[in-house]
Amino acid sequence: MHWYVRSLADRDTHRGELSLITHSVQAVCGAEFVPLKALRNRGPELPGQPPDPEQICPACIPTQ
């Protein structure tokens, strides 16, 4: 699973799977959305963990 940005709001970066058919993310928390482009000239997923913990959806935080 990868991290995807839904919006620039707090707690709106989600962990999930991207559908190649619909181009939407099905997040762990149940949200479904078309992600914002994460980095220029790259796909929509973030490369690794989100840098700001305040941006992460609490329901999408992986459990150890």
Side-chain angles (χ1 to χ4, degrees):
M1 287 196 189
H2 296 280
W3 290 97
Y4 298 91
V5 178
R6 183 178 184 179
S7 76
L8 299 179
D10 285 347
R11 311 228 185 277
D12 214 11
T13 298
H14 301 266
R15 191 168 56 98
E17 296 291 335
L18 180 68
S19 168
L20 297 178
I21 296 169
T22 65
H23 303 286
S24 64
V25 171
Q26 182 65 49
V28 171
C29 67
E32 187 172 339
F33 59 94
V34 175
L36 297 178
K37 194 166 188 177
L39 298 171
R40 185 175 225 180
N41 297 325
R42 290 195 46 144
E45 68 272 351
L46 293 176
Q49 285 285 107
D52 182 359
E54 293 297 315
Q55 299 304 100
I56 298 173
C57 168
C60 288
I61 295 174
T63 56
Q64 308 287 50

